[in-house]
Amino acid sequence: MISFLDLKAVNNKYRHEMELAFSKVLDSGWFIMGEELKSFEEEFGAYCGTKHCIGTANGLDSLTLILRAWKEQGYLSDGDEVIVPANTYIASVLSIIENNLTPVLVEPEILTYNLDASLLEKHLSNKTKAILVVHLYGLMANMKDLCSFAKRNGLKVVEDCAQSHGASSFGTKAGAWGDAAGFSFFPSKNLGALGDGGAVTTNDEDLAETICYLRNYGSKEKYVNRYAGVNSRLDEIHAALLRVKLKYLDEDIEIRRNLAAIYNRDISNDGIVKPYEGGGDEHVWHLYVLRVADRDRFTHWLMKHGVATMIHYPIPPHKQKAMADFNKLELTITEKIHNEVVSLPLHTALTASEIRYVAEVVNSYCE
Ligand SMILES: Cc1ncc(COP(=O)(O)O)c(C=O)c1O
């Protein structure tokens, strides 16, 4: 059986260095907001090409805290609108709702599955204050057009980089294009911890400072609280483990690119739509996502031949019970994507021959 994701095998590569990192933290006796976090923030900020990086407890909190900080700074108020792709993972939308802001769901491009910059104009209102861009499945969104639209209209840009660590377009990395970006280090991500973790990257010093307060009960000085903040910190143990994995991130991305290149080359089946590859370093292949009309039949075929798959994602945010006010929206491209997508196995512990086998099984499927 080719598993969809084998995190034990993926992390085995770093086992020795992780054990050393774990022992170092254990021996230090210091577990929250210490030297490991400080070093990870410096190293990850440098990797992304931003002046500041602030560790948080998870990706959702990273996005939520960015918007919250802009509320504290008076840039955003309750009811302001934030444009967001309709086909994203629901966490992107939840960060907006959590802040009493209004998500404006915009259709993606059917080619890239990323936000369609040509549709922004018609969704603009006098309440629009920001665009939350998602680099879905690891492919950079069209940042040039999205950022220039935002600039023309005085909007902030938040990047949701939960799936795009290390991706770049025109020489600028994911996380360095917008006013701020939220990363997730959920275990399955391209840079994954052994538990939850997240970070904000930004070049905006004031924003970084406000988020530093907010993630720690609104305080930078013990028992002195400037804001009614939250507890959303990246633990020392996770920072230490992530420092190990960060050293190998580019190498791991290269492995993903090589495996995805085999799928791109070998899969040829008229009933299957392959993913857009992007140019240069735009894609880091967090997920390899196909589209197929009769998805259930296709996934059963793969399963019968020993290949596990997943769906990212089966139900779009606007059709979720949690978003009852949006249930009546008709978003045909988003709904088509959600009805047809299938993710194939792609991770750093898979071999080229396993990928070739999956491609063979995909090719043997007849509609
Ligand atoms: C696009 C996107 N945004 C945000 C998140 C939230 O990240 P986390 O699970 O760390 O809260 C995820 C996680 O799966 C995601 O895929």
Side-chain angles (χ1 to χ4, degrees), residues 136-157:
L136 201 67
Y137 307 146
L139 174 69
M140 292 293 298
N142 177 356
M143 292 312 283
K144 268 198 173 165
D145 288 358
L146 293 165
C147 289
S148 71
F149 178 88
K151 200 166 174 200
R152 277 199 310 280
N153 293 285
L155 311 177
K156 297 272 194 205
V157 175

Side-chain angles (χ1 to χ4, degrees), residues 75-128:
Y75 176 74
L76 293 175
S77 313
D78 286 358
D80 281 346
E81 293 176 1
V82 179
I83 289 173
V84 61
N87 62 320
T88 185
Y89 180 56
I90 197 166
S92 325
V93 185
L94 295 178
S95 71
I96 300 169
I97 294 173
E98 169 68 18
N99 276 296
N100 282 327
L101 302 165
T102 305
V104 177
L105 304 174
V106 174
E107 293 267 47
E109 301 166 329
I110 190 68
L111 178 68
T112 65
Y113 310 137
N114 279 329
L115 197 54
D116 188 340
S118 71
L119 298 179
L120 297 189
E121 193 78 53
K122 76 170 187 203
H123 288 93
L124 198 64
S125 83
N126 55 9
K127 288 194 150 191
T128 315

Side-chain angles (χ1 to χ4, degrees), residues 58-60 63 88-89 91-92 134 160 162-163 184 186 189 197 313:
N58 55 65
L60 171 58
L63 298 169
T88 185
Y89 180 56
S92 325
V134 185
D160 180 339
Q163 304 188 1
S184 163
F186 183 78
K189 302 302 186 201
Y313 300 93

Side-chain angles (χ1 to χ4, degrees), residues 2 104 161 175 177 221 240 273 290 293 300 310 312 360 366:
I2 300 188
V104 177
C161 299
W177 273 91
E221 191 187 330
V273 182
L290 302 173
H300 282 126
M310 279 188 75
H312 297 91
E360 257 173 48
C366 300

